[in-house]
Amino acid sequence: MMLEMCKRPLERCFGGGGDGLLWHMDLKPHASGDYSIAVVQANSSLEDQGQVFTSPSATYVGVYDGHGGPEASRFITHHLFPFLQKFATEQGGLSADVIKRAFDATEEEFLHLVKQSWPARPQIASVGSCCLVGVIAKDVLYVANLGDSRAVLGRRVSENRRNIRVVPERLSVDHNVGVEAVRKEVEALHPDDSHIVVHTRGVWRIKGIIQVSRSIGDVYLKKPEFSRDPLFQQFGTLVSLKRPVMTAEPSILIRKLKPEDLFLIFASDGLWEQLSDEAAVEIVSKSPRVGIAKRLVRAALQEAARKREMQYEDIKRIQKGTRRYFHDDITVVVIYLDHPLGSSTSRIKDHCLVDITSAPVDIFSFNADEADDSLPTVI
């Protein structure tokens, strides 16, 4: 009798070093350096989705933090990047207008899906997703955002020859009404509605329901005809709108990359609820790059455990669904910027000319399958 054992690294066999809700890709090449991605699941259905698309000429990063269900974030993974590439080709390159058109097209396609699903699944009208996208093309960085996922740059600064530090620079806007400026923006757009933003359950929420002011989806807060439909009100949150209270208008930053720009962190708000921009940048700047995204996720989980006077090992034993009471789904992508664009083309050519890395749709199921595959097989 022979036993054929799993030949993969131990934590790939058993789902992230003993945490069956953690998935990670330690290090892969892209045109401007290397990248790392990690996801941990807290909800019964993983509502976060993350993906990286690499080619010799450009790198695309997407972090999609769903709410109300996983449908919107999963939908974006199949539609946004193709729209970006389509419109960029038509207009001769990437631009703010191309990005806005891609977001608009994704929003319209999801609205079409909602209308098709109606009335069999009225609850889909309350499903939405934050959407954070980064693109590096021709030494120019584009960051577009809806919601409160966040992009942070790690930048080297020299006060003198002996004192060199890496400092954070936030590249995205948090569209969350917990931020006073965002709250005032929403209130200014709805001067006739004294209850447009309400402080409830310890946080500020639009109509007492949702914290983010921009998203893909959330159709019932954008299309009054859905919020007033009795069929939706039977299954969803009771709200009656005169006009939209959310938008899919992204904030867009365009910046030329500089030699002192070292790395980028793209992450859903599950990370930023636990770690400050400064703490995340310090971890990346002072740690080995292999597995860096996983290291950030674990640092966030350790902080979540500390707040409950628990240990990280205790958090790892909590099952999906229940785990959401301790922390959110977390998606992290770290992009290193230490190769001039095009200098590493041979590195990606050896790996794969065009490559898409996407996180599993459900970490728990993925790791369960991986563990089953790795069990000894009697021959």
Side-chain angles (χ1 to χ4, degrees):
M1 206 185 272
M2 288 194 312
L3 296 180
E4 182 176 292
M5 299 298 291
C6 174
K7 298 181 176 62
R8 289 167 292 179
L10 186 62
E11 54 183 27
R12 291 296 295 123
C13 292
F14 294 98
D19 188 344
L21 296 175
L22 175 67
W23 173 88
H24 59 94
M25 189 68 67
D26 277 344
L27 205 65
K28 295 181 79 174
H30 73 102
S32 303
D34 300 300
Y35 73 91
S36 177
I37 180 171
V39 181
V40 68
Q41 180 174 346
N43 288 290
S44 297
S45 295
L46 179 65
E47 296 183 343
D48 271 18
Q49 292 294 303
Q51 58 183 173
V52 179
F53 173 90
T54 64
S55 75
S57 60
T59 301
Y60 296 77
V61 180
V63 173
Y64 320 124
D65 180 2
H67 45 261
E71 292 88 352
S73 58
R74 294 178 186 178
F75 183 89
I76 297 169
T77 63
H78 298 291
H79 291 80
L80 185 57
F81 282 9
F83 278 132
L84 278 170
Q85 293 171 303
K86 175 179 182 290
F87 296 140
T89 300
E90 290 175 356
Q91 296 192 13
L94 203 61
S95 65
D97 182 61
V98 164
I99 293 170
K100 185 180 182 305
R101 286 185 63 194
F103 273 69
D104 287 344
T106 304
E107 170 84 341
E108 285 301 311
E109 285 295 309
F110 189 72
L111 174 60
H112 181 65
L113 173 66
V114 171
K115 289 178 177 177
Q116 278 187 321
S117 303
W118 199 272
R121 298 174 61 209
Q123 63 271 29
I124 198 171
S126 63
V127 174
S129 181
C130 301
C131 185
L132 172 65
V133 171
V135 184
I136 303 169
K138 297 180 181 178
D139 285 332
V140 176
L141 171 66
Y142 302 80
V143 177
N145 188 49
L146 298 171
D148 55 7
S149 296
R150 187 181 302 168
V152 174
L153 171 72
R155 180 168 53 86
R156 182 178 58 237
V157 295
S158 303
E159 295 178 353
N160 52 57
R161 289 184 179 180
R162 293 185 179 181
N163 190 4
I164 298 175
R165 299 182 298 124
V166 180
V167 299
E169 181 179 333
R170 192 177 299 185
L171 303 179
S172 58
V173 176
D174 288 358
H175 302 130
N176 187 309
V177 291
V179 179
E180 185 178 7
V182 176
R183 191 161 64 248
K184 288 183 176 179
E185 175 186 68
V186 173
E187 290 170 343
L189 291 171
H190 302 271
D192 57 336
D193 188 348
S194 60
H195 296 94
I196 184 64
V197 182
V198 180
H199 194 263
T200 177
R201 289 171 282 169
V203 296
W204 290 97
R205 299 177 188 270
I206 294 176
K207 304 301 288 185
I209 298 169
I210 192 166
Q211 293 178 266
V212 294
S213 60
R214 308 188 193 189
S215 69
I216 298 292
D218 295 303
V219 173
Y220 77 120
L221 294 174
K222 296 173 180 175
K223 303 291 183 181
E225 63 269 27
F226 283 90
S227 69
R228 289 193 293 264
D229 192 297
L231 189 59
F232 173 74
Q233 295 202 355
Q234 180 183 349
F235 292 95
T237 303
L238 289 172
V239 59
S240 181
L241 304 181
K242 295 180 181 177
R243 53 197 176 94
V245 296
M246 296 181 70
T247 75
E249 177 82 24
S251 59
I252 299 174
L253 173 141
I254 303 174
R255 124 186 215 131
K256 178 135 179 101
L257 290 172
K258 304 170 185 176
E260 59 266 28
D261 298 338
L262 301 181
F263 56 82
L264 297 158
I265 304 170
F266 294 86
S268 58
D269 76 316
L271 180 80
W272 309 113
E273 286 174 353
Q274 310 297 340
L275 300 179
S276 66
D277 298 6
E278 292 77 11
V281 164
E282 183 176 15
I283 289 169
V284 176
S285 65
K286 294 184 177 180
S287 301
R289 74 173 53 191
V290 175
I292 189 60
K294 178 177 63 177
R295 190 168 287 109
L296 282 173
V297 168
R298 287 185 169 174
L301 297 182
Q302 287 169 348
E303 178 61 18
R306 185 196 65 79
K307 290 175 180 176
R308 296 297 190 96
E309 299 183 344
M310 299 167 62
Q311 300 296 318
Y312 173 59
E313 294 300 317
D314 299 324
I315 287 280
K316 289 202 308 185
R317 286 191 286 267
I318 300 172
Q319 292 298 305
K320 62 178 183 173
T322 304
R323 197 151 162 178
R324 182 60 184 89
Y325 295 103
F326 298 84
H327 66 85
D328 199 355
D329 295 338
I330 302 173
T331 298
V332 177
V333 181
V334 178
I335 303 283
Y336 289 98
L337 302 169
D338 51 359
H339 293 278
L341 193 65
S343 69
S344 58
T345 300
S346 60
R347 296 166 67 242
I348 36 181
K349 193 176 291 182
D350 292 341
H351 174 71
C352 185
L353 194 59
V354 175
D355 184 33
I356 298 180
T357 298
S358 293
V361 169
D362 185 271
I363 308 300
F364 181 83
S365 300
F366 177 84
N367 281 335
D369 291 343
E370 289 283 292
D372 286 345
D373 290 343
S374 68
L375 293 175
T377 303
V378 178
I379 300 177

